[in-house]
Amino acid sequence: MIGISTHKIAQIILMSRELDRAERELRAFIERLTVEEQVSLVAVMWIGRDSFMRDELEEAKATAREEATTPTADYLLGTPHLSDHLENGLDELGISVVQDEDELVRGG
């Protein structure tokens, strides 16, 4: 279990694609996540950029907890290609957010 809903990750992916217009909203969204959701989000991103393998999800989450030295929103917003890494991480974990993204784009 990744510890954050795919719907929330889909929202983050969509907002990060529009960072010029949505940075403040994205920052606030990430800051409102629980600590566990933030840890899971960082772990999925790390898997997507090949810092961890899919079977190392729990290790990635533990590392995210232990090594958190800056606010999660600052860390993630400073990560180039955030949306790509999140999508790749979910793909690696066998999770699709296409339906969630489509629903969000349609206004759901």
Side-chain angles (χ1 to χ4, degrees):
M1 187 167 91
I2 61 173
I4 183 172
S5 73
T6 56
H7 189 78
K8 287 181 180 178
I9 295 177
Q11 286 178 286
I12 293 165
I13 289 169
L14 291 174
M15 284 189 279
S16 67
R17 287 184 187 148
E18 300 292 330
L19 201 52
D20 291 341
R21 296 182 310 154
E23 181 175 349
R24 191 173 356 176
E25 183 180 358
L26 177 55
R27 179 177 298 282
F29 187 85
I30 293 170
E31 289 170 351
R32 285 191 306 267
L33 296 174
T34 67
V35 171
E36 181 58 31
E37 289 173 323
Q38 291 180 18
V39 162
S40 297
L41 189 61
V42 170
V44 169
M45 188 272 295
W46 283 345
I47 290 170
R49 72 172 191 199
D50 295 327
S51 298
F52 288 87
M53 304 305 292
R54 72 186 221 178
D55 61 341
E56 298 174 324
L57 175 61
E58 293 306 315
E59 181 183 344
K61 287 164 64 171
T63 302
R65 267 187 218 94
E66 293 165 8
E67 295 185 3
T69 57
T70 61
T72 303
D74 291 345
Y75 176 69
L76 291 174
L77 291 174
T79 301
H81 312 290
L82 175 60
S83 61
D84 294 335
H85 292 318
L86 289 172
E87 285 182 331
N88 292 340
L90 290 171
D91 285 347
E92 186 65 26
L93 293 166
I95 299 169
S96 173
V97 292
V98 172
Q99 185 174 354
D100 292 299
E101 287 178 342
D102 290 345
E103 180 182 313
L104 287 164
V105 168
R106 286 192 309 268

